[in-house]
Amino acid sequence: MRNHLLRQPGHYLFLLPALLVGLLVWSATPDAEVGSPVHRILPLVLTCLGMGLALSYARVRAVCLLLAIALAFALLHGLVSGFQHTGAVSTYTPLLFHAVSLWLPVTFLAYGVWPERGRLRQDLLLRIALGATIVGVFALLAMQAPQGMHDLLSNRHWPWLPTGWSALAQLPSLALVGAAAVLTVQAVRTPRPLHTAMLVALLVLWLMLPRAFRVPSLLPALTSAALLLVIAAMLQESFHMAFRDELTGLPGRRALNECLQRVGSTYTIAMVDVDHFKAFNDTHGHDTGDDVLKLVAARLAAVGDGGRAFRYGGEEFALVFLDRPGAACVDAIEAIRAAVEGARLTVRDRAARARDDAVGRLQRGAGGGGTVVQVTVSIGMADSGVGDTPQAVIKAADRALYAAKDAGRNCVRAHGQQRVLAVRGGMAQGSASR
């Protein structure tokens, strides 16, 4: 769990816009009213914006959750407004409030764990049809026996549950606890910003529901925050898809190009290539090749002296050091080469691997007696003194990389130098090239 995505602060960036907007709306909304027209319409505007983004990114779950939050807000807004203007609740207000309190967690649970199949139109129609069916059946039952439905939702008590643990009725509270527990498991097992955002949005709505009538300003504020959690998580995932390499987790080629557009007058670029990578694939299979790339990427991500690691393509990576000349980066680059050389990879027997994913996860880390292989990298480096553009520096670093491979691999070479900066096997730095 040390490197689990949920332990990384960057995973929670989607929380910032939701927190900021929620605080601004809450502080600017008078307690005596549900809010100004701007505050009342803000959740609906966010819903339209979020649905447009979700449809563009083919995020069916996000579309349905945004719709559910918006519908709940519209219904609660009408109930709270009526209560404020008349000072009394209507006949159907308790029934509708408890229904929304139950419907929201059930919707989050159903749509949250329902996987997307990549068929936008069919998935969307099926989910909307399911939601409409549930609402329609409830509406028919409520029209036939409103008091009985109200008693079922609000007056149902179980003696084994302690009293006072939730401000909501027991049935909606149990639904919220169950949905939160399932979404928590999902967020831990398959960490994604959207999964975490769904859990946090549900908790935000849970905080809002019992206070909607007592503190009306929380209704538009926390609803807007819940909507923004889903929207910001979608944007963060889309950013990761565009700028991060899915296999290694490092920033990808596009992120490297963006970085190179903002370099100053002094910088160093090192090109890193995995030695004998084709042999790994041919001998052990592409799964092992992927494991090799992940291992190398993990070591490169720990580069010091302000360096940043990028996946350049294939088995090639790039290290960028801003505001540092080549001579000041040699120690950090050599440390990375040595860290990769010191790592060991256990190749599991593919024939003995479990076919079931759950069984395979249980077997990980339990040894297995597979072949232990060593991974090494060759590195070529160049700084801004060799060219006027980052592309020219990359080409110079590539030439130094080929020189490092010609020198026997597992070494570091700088552009324009005739001596190997660091070689394998504990040989002294500065040994003559071959």
Side-chain angles (χ1 to χ4, degrees):
M1 289 287 292
R2 184 180 63 180
N3 296 322
H4 196 278
L5 192 60
L6 294 182
R7 297 175 65 95
Q8 301 177 12
H11 178 77
Y12 301 97
L13 289 176
F14 63 87
L15 293 172
L16 298 180
L19 178 63
L20 178 61
V21 170
L23 288 174
L24 289 176
V25 174
W26 174 66
S27 61
T29 305
D31 287 336
E33 299 289 342
V34 179
S36 66
V38 174
H39 297 150
R40 292 196 297 268
I41 202 173
L42 178 60
L44 304 181
V45 172
L46 290 175
T47 301
C48 294
L49 173 63
M51 287 181 59
L53 291 172
L55 291 173
S56 300
Y57 298 148
R59 296 290 190 267
V60 178
R61 285 189 297 181
V63 171
C64 295
L65 290 174
L66 291 170
L67 272 176
I69 297 172
L71 290 174
F73 169 76
L75 186 56
L76 290 174
H77 177 266
L79 297 177
V80 174
S81 296
F83 172 73
Q84 288 183 322
H85 290 134
T86 63
V89 296
S90 65
T91 304
Y92 290 100
T93 295
L95 173 60
L96 293 175
F97 174 77
H98 292 303
V100 171
S101 301
L102 176 63
W103 177 64
L104 274 175
V106 171
T107 302
F108 267 75
L109 178 61
Y111 291 155
V113 302
W114 189 348
E116 295 170 321
R117 300 299 183 185
R119 298 168 296 183
L120 177 61
R121 184 177 302 175
Q122 295 89 330
D123 282 357
L124 186 59
L125 290 176
L126 186 58
R127 291 168 190 259
I128 292 177
L130 176 62
T133 301
I134 295 174
V135 173
V137 170
F138 173 82
L140 289 175
L141 293 175
M143 291 174 61
Q144 294 295 324
Q147 188 60 43
M149 185 61 67
H150 174 270
D151 293 341
L152 175 65
L153 295 178
S154 63
N155 295 334
R156 179 72 176 176
H157 297 283
W158 287 272
W160 46 272
L161 276 177
T163 58
W165 66 279
S166 175
L168 296 173
Q170 285 195 353
L171 185 58
S173 297
L174 286 176
L176 283 163
V177 170
V182 173
L183 292 179
T184 299
V185 173
Q186 181 188 53
V188 172
R189 295 186 62 180
T190 55
R192 289 176 49 188
L194 184 58
H195 290 167
T196 308
M198 289 189 296
L199 171 62
V200 178
L202 179 62
L203 297 178
V204 167
L205 295 173
W206 191 354
L207 176 67
M208 177 198 72
L209 284 170
R211 297 168 176 81
F213 287 87
R214 292 189 289 109
V215 188
S217 58
L218 289 178
L219 180 58
L222 294 185
T223 300
S224 300
L227 292 167
L228 271 173
L229 285 169
V230 179
I231 295 172
M234 282 193 299
L235 292 175
Q236 186 169 335
E237 287 192 353
S238 300
F239 173 84
H240 285 170
M241 289 177 61
F243 289 92
R244 287 200 172 270
D245 176 62
E246 184 177 6
L247 176 65
T248 63
L250 291 178
R253 183 73 170 269
R254 183 174 297 179
L256 173 62
N257 293 335
E258 290 284 335
C259 177
L260 295 180
Q261 291 177 8
R262 298 187 296 271
V263 295
S265 58
T266 304
Y267 58 92
T268 298
I269 298 175
M271 302 303 295
V272 184
D273 190 85
V274 181
D275 295 330
H276 306 295
F277 183 72
K278 186 177 184 301
F280 275 105
N281 278 338
D282 294 342
T283 304
H284 303 290
H286 290 284
D287 289 343
T288 300
D290 289 346
D291 292 337
V292 168
L293 295 177
K294 292 176 184 177
L295 183 149
V296 173
R299 299 303 184 273
L300 295 178
V303 62
D305 289 347
R308 292 185 61 191
F310 299 85
R311 173 87 182 274
Y312 193 75
E315 67 271 25
E316 198 167 5
F317 300 84
L319 298 173
V320 178
F321 298 83
L322 301 179
D323 301 320
R324 295 183 71 84
C329 304
V330 173
D331 290 341
I333 295 174
E334 161 57 13
I336 286 295
R337 183 207 63 79
V340 174
E341 181 188 20
R344 297 294 183 270
L345 178 67
T346 301
V347 180
R348 293 183 296 165
D349 184 4
R350 285 176 291 169
R353 288 183 180 179
R355 295 182 180 274
D356 184 77
D357 291 340
V359 176
R361 283 192 294 268
L362 293 175
Q363 290 179 351
R364 290 174 189 165
T371 304
V372 177
V373 298
Q374 182 183 21
V375 182
T376 62
V377 293
S378 300
I379 304 177
M381 56 180 290
D383 61 20
S384 50
V386 305
D388 296 331
T389 64
Q391 289 70 28
V393 178
I394 288 179
K395 290 182 180 180
D398 264 330
R399 289 193 291 270
L401 172 62
Y402 286 118
K405 287 187 173 293
D406 291 341
R409 295 183 171 86
N410 190 23
C411 61
V412 180
R413 264 206 170 183
H415 173 73
Q417 293 192 0
Q418 300 300 318
R419 300 170 67 84
V420 178
L421 296 180
V423 297
R424 66 190 183 281
M427 296 177 64
Q429 293 187 6
S431 60
S433 61
R434 290 183 292 174

